[in-house]
Amino acid sequence: YFLAIKAKLYVLQGQSQHDLLLSHDALSSLSEALNMYRLLKDRDGEAECSNTLSDVCQYLDRLEEAEDYLKNARRLYHEIDSPPGSAATLQRMGRLYTQLGRIDEARSALIAALGRYRASGDELGIANSMNSLGELYIRERSWDDARSQLRDALQRHRRVGDRRGEAICLQNLAILF
């Protein structure tokens, strides 16, 4: 029980360090947490930690590592049958694949994430996935598709009160005008 609490504290510490742009410290904290979750055989904790590690690796431009962590999270969430975890991982994969220029994989992952979020009624997840799809469509120069996704995402972010998501959508919409 103590080890599980300690692992969660390391995750929270790593997330805070990443938010403060202390990414190398975040990697250290999150790696400790990942090892603890593996010792505990806590697949949900391991998957969540793998997703967060992927965010840090992506920020540090360690994209192959980021993809490895995401594949691990996807496998674990599939094993424990966690649709919310699977959706979050697929969305991260879509953003990573967009960054890597692997457009077909990005589209597939983002559409799958959107479908899972819709099935669960997660409005914030839907909004975030639509925003990511809008970014992908901007990259493809599919202006009408981008505009449609981003306008819908913007309305959803406003409905759920997500000011950060709203700002990101507005920034993406500004690219179109």
Side-chain angles (χ1 to χ4, degrees):
Y1 177 75
F2 175 72
L3 192 58
I5 292 172
K6 191 173 179 181
K8 185 61 178 176
L9 289 173
Y10 271 112
V11 168
L12 293 172
Q13 179 178 340
Q15 289 170 335
S16 296
Q17 289 165 327
H18 180 53
D19 290 344
L20 294 170
L21 305 179
L22 303 170
S23 297
H24 293 287
D25 293 335
L27 281 178
S28 178
S29 297
L30 292 165
S31 294
E32 281 293 321
L34 186 66
N35 290 332
M36 290 177 198
Y37 283 128
R38 287 178 174 158
L39 280 172
L40 292 165
K41 299 186 184 333
D42 180 343
R43 294 182 297 174
D44 187 48
E46 182 182 346
E48 177 190 354
C49 192
S50 292
N51 269 340
T52 306
L53 274 161
S54 77
D55 293 340
V56 176
C57 287
Q58 192 169 355
Y59 176 78
L60 292 171
D61 205 33
R62 293 163 61 168
L63 304 181
E64 286 182 21
E65 281 180 77
E67 184 177 16
D68 290 342
Y69 283 121
L70 288 172
K71 287 179 177 178
N72 184 54
R74 181 182 60 191
R75 177 186 57 79
L76 290 164
Y77 281 132
H78 178 76
E79 288 175 7
I80 62 174
D81 191 29
S82 173
S86 293
T89 302
L90 285 164
Q91 185 176 344
R92 282 178 165 95
M93 292 178 101
R95 288 195 316 260
L96 175 65
Y97 293 149
T98 298
Q99 183 178 351
L100 290 169
R102 292 162 50 184
I103 302 303
D104 291 338
E105 290 172 277
R107 183 181 304 102
S108 177
L110 291 170
I111 289 171
L114 181 58
R116 284 181 171 83
Y117 283 129
R118 280 189 170 137
S120 69
D122 182 341
E123 281 295 310
L124 181 58
I126 293 168
N128 287 330
S129 291
M130 295 180 95
N131 188 37
S132 295
L133 274 168
E135 291 172 350
L136 174 69
Y137 292 140
I138 288 171
R139 185 177 179 117
E140 290 183 303
R141 299 185 182 282
S142 298
W143 309 122
D144 290 339
D145 291 334
R147 192 173 296 106
S148 173
Q149 290 294 319
L150 292 169
R151 283 183 175 158
D152 195 352
L154 178 61
Q155 294 308 313
R156 290 171 189 275
H157 281 295
R158 285 179 173 160
R159 263 198 310 271
V160 299
D162 179 26
R163 305 284 291 171
R164 182 178 176 278
E166 185 178 342
I168 293 168
C169 274
L170 289 168
Q171 182 179 3
N172 287 331
L173 280 163
I175 294 168
L176 300 173
F177 296 101

